[in-house]
Amino acid sequence: MERIVLGSGCFWGAQEILRKIPGVIKTEVGYAGGTLENATYNEVKTGRTGHAESVELTYDPQKVSLGQILDVFFRMHDPTTEDRQGNDVGSQYRSVIFYFSEDQKKAVLEKIKEIEQKGFWKKPIVTEVVPFSNYYRAEEFHQDYLIKHPNGYSCHYLRDF
């Protein structure tokens, strides 16, 4: 099994889409990349902790490639907007990929180059690509939110490329 952590705005809708990818074994929402220890929603929502609302994926690379996961990631949000997705504004909603290995970093950078070359997005991709750091599991209320609240808020949807 492998892991990757993806930030693409509010983590509720992102988790709902990512969990449905065949080969994804587990998803969990949390706060990644910031400086505050044991970050909580009330702290992260201020935008001052440096954390991004994120989804940690555990996946089986024999069933789904990182490239396939990234295809979904880059279709489910607008990676050309800095610190914003839908109604959500602030650095905690930035587009970011937290990688665990140099191989993952290389795959991510290649995917970004591929997508930009194909012209799927009219503006440059601003997704941050950074080493995994400082992740804290979000409160239980946020886990599987759209399963618990099927009509809950989401700014995520799959775009056709």
Side-chain angles (χ1 to χ4, degrees):
M1 298 304 121
E2 292 191 26
R3 295 184 306 154
I4 192 85
V5 176
L6 307 173
S8 60
C10 177
F11 46 32
W12 296 342
Q15 182 182 34
E16 187 63 17
I17 290 173
L18 294 168
R19 76 161 20 95
K20 294 176 181 175
I21 300 172
V24 170
I25 307 302
K26 178 185 170 199
T27 60
E28 173 183 283
V29 297
Y31 315 111
T35 57
L36 183 67
E37 301 246 354
N38 301 310
T40 66
Y41 177 73
N42 284 335
E43 295 159 330
V44 172
K45 74 178 183 179
T46 68
R48 294 189 303 258
T49 69
H51 291 84
E53 287 196 14
S54 302
V55 180
E56 179 182 28
L57 284 82
T58 303
Y59 64 97
D60 182 344
Q62 300 299 316
K63 295 182 179 177
V64 63
S65 70
L66 179 56
Q68 291 169 308
I69 291 168
L70 294 173
D71 283 338
V72 172
F73 173 77
F74 285 111
R75 287 177 55 212
M76 73 180 193
H77 80 296
D78 182 350
T80 70
T81 58
E82 189 173 349
D83 297 343
R84 180 183 188 129
Q85 291 299 317
N87 296 327
D88 302 314
V89 179
S91 63
Q92 68 272 32
Y93 301 115
R94 67 190 180 274
S95 179
V96 59
I97 298 171
F98 297 94
Y99 61 86
F100 286 88
S101 69
E102 288 300 312
D103 286 343
Q104 281 186 339
K105 178 183 178 182
K106 181 180 176 190
V108 168
L109 294 175
E110 287 174 0
K111 181 59 70 176
I112 290 171
K113 183 177 179 183
E114 172 191 323
I115 290 170
E116 285 187 322
Q117 286 176 341
K118 289 182 179 178
F120 294 137
W121 297 100
K122 301 305 175 210
K123 297 185 288 182
I125 291 174
V126 297
T127 303
E128 295 177 16
V129 180
V130 294
F132 174 81
S133 68
N134 231 10
Y135 174 86
Y136 300 99
R137 184 178 195 275
E139 298 81 355
E140 191 57 37
F141 172 79
H142 296 291
Q143 304 298 327
D144 305 314
Y145 184 85
L146 290 177
I147 290 175
K148 298 171 190 172
H149 305 90
N151 296 317
Y153 170 76
S154 176
C155 65
H156 291 85
Y157 62 93
L158 290 177
R159 293 144 177 94
D160 292 326
F161 286 154

